[in-house]
Amino acid sequence: MPIYFKDTDVLSQVRGLKSVLIVPCRFCPAATLAVREGKPYIELLRKFLRTEAYEDYVQALKDRLEGEGIRTVVFDSRLLHQFVACMWTTKRRNQLAKRAAQFEGALALGCKAMVQMVRDAVDPTGCQVIEGMEAEGIMNVVPVLDFPANISLDVQGVVNS
């Protein structure tokens, strides 16, 4: 079951940094934003495996940081096996370390396991890791297929973590 997240005060955590690499997981945080905004989790014909509510969230976060004068880039991939960040391959983690070396901070959007994976990957680079979301609980969801090929999540409850 996906983790349900609440936002953290990212701006106070990145204050003083000039550059931040945004590192998003596309599973639990995307499910959280879809549920929170009452939008589909997956729109196969329109966005394939991207969640529009989450993509908008990441873009708004990027815009907010850039509005504060912080250079930002999203560490992104369109490959399916890189969808769930806490299960990235060694090669992907090495790519993250190489990319993070060009930034003062790495903003991890995911669970504590994902944040720790980011810390472990970027540790040799000296890049500061910022936890961008905080787990509030675990969602009990029922996937609902909407015509023509959308998947929404019907939340049955949230168990506190």
Side-chain angles (χ1 to χ4, degrees):
M1 292 292 137
I3 297 171
Y4 187 82
F5 291 101
K6 61 182 177 181
D7 299 332
T8 62
D9 180 11
V10 172
L11 288 178
S12 69
Q13 296 182 73
V14 299
R15 194 159 280 123
L17 299 180
K18 292 184 176 102
S19 60
V20 172
L21 180 65
I22 300 173
V23 186
C25 176
R26 303 220 175 267
F27 186 62
C28 293
T32 295
L33 268 292
V35 165
R36 194 186 301 171
E37 295 190 15
K39 294 185 176 176
Y41 176 56
I42 295 174
E43 297 174 276
L44 285 174
L45 300 178
R46 200 168 149 241
K47 297 284 185 183
F48 188 53
L49 293 176
R50 297 296 174 123
T51 303
E52 185 173 19
Y54 187 50
E55 298 304 313
D56 292 346
Y57 175 86
V58 171
Q59 185 60 50
L61 181 58
K62 183 178 187 322
D63 292 345
R64 209 165 56 231
L65 294 175
E66 288 175 350
E68 295 291 321
I70 301 169
R71 180 177 68 90
T72 63
V73 171
V74 177
F75 186 68
D76 203 7
S77 174
R78 297 274 181 194
L79 300 176
L80 182 59
H81 73 284
Q82 296 172 358
F83 191 67
V84 182
C86 64
M87 298 190 317
W88 280 350
T89 62
T90 300
K91 180 178 179 181
R92 184 68 175 159
R93 292 169 194 228
N94 290 339
Q95 290 169 339
L96 172 61
K98 184 176 179 182
R99 188 73 169 135
Q102 303 167 17
F103 294 84
E104 292 180 328
L107 177 58
L109 301 176
C111 66
K112 291 219 181 272
M114 183 266 198
V115 172
Q116 187 59 50
M117 179 276 298
V118 172
R119 273 194 187 97
D120 293 344
V122 306
D123 180 51
T125 69
C127 182
Q128 177 186 340
V129 177
I130 298 114
E131 191 171 347
M133 300 178 131
E134 186 177 323
E136 193 167 286
I138 299 171
M139 291 186 282
N140 182 355
V141 298
V142 175
V144 178
L145 182 61
D146 297 319
F147 184 79
N150 296 345
I151 299 172
S152 296
L153 301 175
D154 183 19
V155 179
Q156 303 295 300
V158 176
V159 179
N160 292 337
S161 57

